[in-house]
Amino acid sequence: MAHPLVPQIIDLATPVAEELGLEVVGVVFHTNQSPPVLRVDIRNPEQDTGLNDCERMSRALEASLDAAEIVPDKYVLEVSSPGISRQLVTDREFISFKGFPVIISTTPPYDGQEEWTGQLVRRDETALYLNQKGRVVEIPRSLITKVQLDERR
């Protein structure tokens, strides 16, 4: 069931997107996370939706949401394009998505596995730390080929 604020957020986000030449294709408010995550999926009808589109929309929408005061408490605004699994790359993303479920791919296999799933704990210079049902697993960064959010959970 959609969060009750979603229709208001769509009404606010649609003209902001149109002004930037973009379209809002979906809004989800994940209130079960701390802080809650407001995810707005956009599409660029003229070309492939890029990071620049997401960034422009994020800045413009953040200002409009703050001015409208629709969301009463702290939240994280995430603007992305639909259909692309969210891969984590930057230090900032690893900090932002701490505690989120992730899928880690390794090559060659590490400890007999090529794919690891669990909650992201942290990443440092040498390893990525993953919580698997209370047990923290340390995976060497040199073996990691991809880290993405686990949308299945």
Side-chain angles (χ1 to χ4, degrees), residues 9 13 24 26-27 38-42 57 61 77-80:
I9 293 166
V24 173
V27 173
L38 173 58
R39 180 179 168 155
V40 178
D41 288 332
I42 59 166
M57 179 65 179
L61 183 56
L77 175 62
E78 181 183 291
V79 176
S80 61

Side-chain angles (χ1 to χ4, degrees), residues 80-92:
S80 61
S81 60
I84 297 172
S85 61
R86 181 66 194 250
Q87 196 166 327
L88 304 183
V89 179
T90 66
D91 287 337
R92 183 174 174 203

